[in-house]
Structure formats: C-alpha cells, structure tokens
Amino acid sequence: MAVMTVFVPDIEGRPGPKYKVLADALEEAVERGDLPANAKLPSQRILSYKLGVTVGTITRAYQELELRGVTTPIVGSGTYVKDRRKAQEEYYHPIVDRGGIDLCLCRPLIIGQQKYLMSALQELGNEPAAQRAVLDYFTADGLQGHSDTLQRWINQRWHTAIETSRLQWTYGGQHALAVILQAITRSGDAVLIEGLCYGEFINTCAQQERKAIAVAMDDEGIIPEDLLLQCQRHRPRLLYITPAVQNPTAVRLSDSRRLKVIEICRRFNVLIIEDDVLYCPPEHRSSPLVSIAPDITIYVGSFSKYFAGGIRVGYIITPANLKPSMQKALRSSCMHVSPVLIDLVCRWLQQGAMARVDESIMLELSARHRIVHEVFPQVKASKAIPGFNIWLSIPEACPSLALTQALAKEGVYVRDASSFRVGTYPLPNAVRISLTGPLARTELEQGLVAIRDKIALMTRATYGFVESGDTRLRGEQGLLTP
C-alpha cells in the first residue's frame, strides 16, 4: 500500500514572522512547480507537527496564501493550490460572451502584440522620469515628445508635413467623432453621411440631436451629384465620409470623386470628417483627403484597427483654427487622454513595432481572403478593398434580416444592412462579414460555409430549386447599390 507523502517546506533560518515565512515558502514551491495546480496542502495539524509551530501559525499562513491568490479553501475538504491559468482566464473572461462564430466583430487579431506590450512596459519600468510624467495630470495638449512622435510617424507615412499644432490625441476613433460633433455643430445641425455607414456614428448624431442626412452611394463611394443636391437642400455643417475603406461596403472613393467631393464642400462651406480608422492593406493606401484639402478636412485616425482593439488611442488632424474648439470639447469629455496609453503607442511607433504588426495583419488577412474566395468565388469580382470586412449581397429570395436571424440560431453572427442604414435610405439585401472576428482560420471557414449553405437553403425554399452551379446565387452577389 502506497504511503502518501506530506510536502513540508523548508523555513529554517528565514527571518520574519513565522506565518509570513511559511506563506512565502509555500508560494515559492508553487512557483517552482513543487506544488502543482490543484494540489492539496497538508492539513494544518499535520504541518504544525512537522514544522514545530502552532496550528494558529499555519492557519494565518494559509489565510495569507488565500489573500495572495495562491490557494483556495474548500469547506470540508481542505486547502488547494489554485490553477492560476484557469483562474486568470476566468478573471479576464468577457462579462458578455455569446459564443459561437462571431463574424460581426471587426478587430485586428492578436498575433504577436503581447511581446511588444511586455517590451514597452519593461522599458517604462526602467525610466523613472517617464513614470513620473505619465502618472501626472496635464492639459489637453499632452506631452511634447508624444506629439512629436505622432507627427514624425504621420509625415513619414504620408510623405507630407503636418504641424504638431494640428494634432490632438483621443480615446480612439469613436471618441474623436463625438468630440468633433460637439466642437463643430449644435443641436439641430444637419450632418451629411453616406447612406450606409458606421452605425455608432449614426447613434452619436442621434444622442447629440444632430440631423443625419443620407447621401447616395454606389460601388465607387459617395455620389457627387447627390452630395450637391443634399448640400443645396440642407445647408449642412459637416460631411462624414470613409473614403479609404468604406464601412460597411469596403469600397474606395475613386480619385475623380474625391476632387468633386472637395469642390462641392468648398462651395457650400462644409467641413469634411475623414474617418480612416479601418485597416487598409498597404498596396491600397493612397493620400488622404486631409493632405489634399487640409483647410476643410478633419481627419480621424486610430491604432485600434492597426495594432490592438484594447489600446483605445486615436488622433485628430484638424485645421489649425479649429484646434481650440476641439480641445475644449475634449476637456469636457475626458480632460485629457491617458499619458500611459499614449506613451505605449509612441514606444511602438518609435521601435517599429507598429510597422511589424501591420505586416503581420496584412499576411493574415491575405490568407483569410483566400478562404473567402474559395467559399464565395464571386467576391473576387468585387471592387471592394480586401480589408477586415466583406459586403455580401444575396438573392432577394433570401432576405438579409431573416438570414441573419437564422444564422444566429445556429451560433453564427453577421450584421445585416439595417445596422448601417441612415434614416430611410434604401436597404440593399446584404450582410457585412468581418473576417477577423474568429480567432482561427478554421473557424472562419466554418462560418463562411454555414452562410453559403444557409443562403442556398433559403433560396431553394423560395424558388423550389437552385440553378445548376448556383449561378443564380453567384450572379446576385457582389455590391448591391440602391
């Protein structure tokens, strides 16, 4: 019969109160692996006998270990070593997690950013002057070095010359949009928006009592003729536009239309909000509107889609005369952006980490788009930018809202066009699919196949058949314009 051994830590010669010495020794044993996860500690009476201390000392030591998060007591059973990995996963688990295959979430995948976070934190930990600075209060202008770093990065990226006086840090792109609306417009002002656009900007306009007016769009982006018409009708203060990678359709505003949009906005004294937060692959990047018309363009950038969603750091490039209004609006919402977060971002910019993550994202996206083309070959013919999202138009026999609801019952989540609709703008029968929602490519493929099969099933249920080779399905997919 096997004899159960009792783990007895060595506390001989250690200074300090006995219970703390014992707690330290046991914690070290856990760190070394001598006491593995879920191991049961010796009973208090046995350990007190082995070590020659009182039971009260053991009790206090075990309580200390529990406070440190090393152990957990189970009534009637004893004290056990915590499975720290499992405990950590539970601690950092989202409060709301519907599970399934989430093709709604548009984010950069975490594919190496952890090492850059660790490196930046270690550097910061070795720089007392930096620690003092980032823990203090500041005005909305922030710290000089941070602004200089952002300026150098932007100017190298665009081969331009933006002055630091035009830059303003924000808590990501969404915060930037709220700040701009508050600074530039008043309740009741008209804001022109692409007929299908980023849903949270529509919500922000509603919350701030701004009139969101839809402008028609097609597969080249916003239509200048309708922009002209809406400017004549509503005399708007702002035009909100996503020219690089339109959300949700992923189309790019053509070069000829960019010039027409700028000309119309100048004519009617309309400021342009250029939202450029969505990831755009390097080969598709072009000069932003703010470099062409800096006097009427307010540019919104963010590192959430280019590095990690949890960073929540963005920036505004504004005409110099609007900077005071922007700072006033920013102070009213958050006083100033956390220097700790900005400092981390600046270290990544200086060290080239941001560029390396950019390259990793591009490679992963390429692989994921290949999966898309295997499941939906018709997407190859689209003019859309191959970014985080694809915009999938579907047969009228398969209503997008019904498709979304049917997929959700099976644990596959996509967004239908109504999530992006401005007012009564005509709804295309389409869904947005975010390729970076699933962590694994296999999960993405499973989700895409489920969508394809559900479309075929619902179409067959309406028509009674699907044409040979799914030609009907293939012919009706692509970008649908109202």
Side-chain angles (χ1 to χ4, degrees), residues 71-82:
T71 62
T72 183
I74 299 178
V75 177
S77 179
T79 299
Y80 293 82
V81 176
K82 264 189 178 180

Side-chain angles (χ1 to χ4, degrees), residues 58-189:
I58 307 298
T59 300
R60 291 190 68 186
Y62 281 16
Q63 289 172 343
E64 177 70 17
L65 287 171
E66 184 184 352
L67 288 172
R68 296 180 187 181
V70 178
T71 62
T72 183
I74 299 178
V75 177
S77 179
T79 299
Y80 293 82
V81 176
K82 264 189 178 180
D83 186 337
R84 288 190 171 183
R85 181 174 179 178
K86 181 179 179 182
Q88 192 175 56
E89 288 175 355
E90 291 175 352
Y91 184 89
Y92 289 104
H93 192 272
I95 293 176
V96 178
D97 182 9
R98 59 188 174 185
I101 301 176
D102 192 343
L103 297 169
C104 293
L105 185 59
C106 177
R107 63 175 179 188
L109 294 170
I110 304 302
I111 44 180
Q113 290 92 324
Q114 299 100 318
K115 63 183 178 183
Y116 300 121
L117 173 62
M118 183 172 64
S119 175
L121 290 173
Q122 287 175 339
E123 281 190 4
L124 182 58
N126 293 324
E127 299 175 13
Q131 295 164 23
R132 286 193 297 272
V134 299
L135 293 174
D136 205 352
Y137 270 116
F138 293 98
T139 65
D141 289 296
L143 297 172
Q144 185 65 52
H146 290 166
S147 291
D148 290 344
T149 299
L150 179 62
Q151 179 202 33
R152 285 193 297 271
W153 178 76
I154 290 173
N155 288 341
Q156 290 171 3
R157 186 180 177 88
W158 295 344
H159 305 289
T160 186
I162 302 292
E163 304 86 2
T164 55
S165 59
R166 295 176 57 198
L167 302 178
Q168 181 65 63
W169 293 100
T170 66
Y171 279 117
Q174 177 62 28
H175 179 229
L177 296 175
V179 166
I180 293 169
L181 279 183
Q182 184 178 346
I184 305 301
T185 63
R186 296 293 177 265
S187 177
D189 282 356

Side-chain angles (χ1 to χ4, degrees), residues 7 33 44 130 332 349 369 410 427 444:
F7 179 82
Q44 295 182 23
S332 71
L349 291 174
H369 275 278
E410 298 180 6
L427 269 182
L444 170 64

Side-chain angles (χ1 to χ4, degrees), residues 332-446:
S332 71
S333 66
C334 68
M335 188 56 72
H336 65 91
V337 179
S338 167
V340 177
L341 294 177
I342 296 175
D343 197 73
L344 293 176
V345 168
C346 287
R347 289 174 189 273
W348 294 325
L349 291 174
Q350 292 168 339
Q351 297 166 359
M354 203 72 71
R356 289 190 288 274
V357 169
D358 188 353
E359 184 177 351
S360 297
I361 290 174
M362 177 190 66
L363 293 173
E364 180 62 23
L365 262 186
S366 297
R368 293 188 175 224
H369 275 278
R370 285 195 293 271
I371 296 172
V372 172
H373 297 153
E374 290 172 3
V375 180
F376 294 107
Q378 66 275 15
V379 171
K380 280 188 176 181
S382 170
K383 295 182 180 179
I385 300 297
F388 287 174
N389 305 316
I390 61 170
W391 184 242
L392 196 65
S393 293
I394 54 183
E396 293 303 324
C398 178
S400 61
L401 180 58
L403 172 65
T404 301
Q405 294 171 343
L407 287 168
K409 291 179 181 178
E410 298 180 6
V412 178
Y413 303 98
V414 298
R415 294 189 189 277
D416 73 285
S418 63
S419 301
F420 309 96
R421 182 188 198 181
V422 179
T424 59
Y425 189 72
L427 269 182
N429 198 42
V431 294
R432 193 194 76 175
I433 301 171
S434 293
L435 306 185
T436 55
L439 296 178
R441 296 178 194 173
T442 53
E443 189 179 12
L444 170 64
E445 185 173 8
Q446 290 171 9

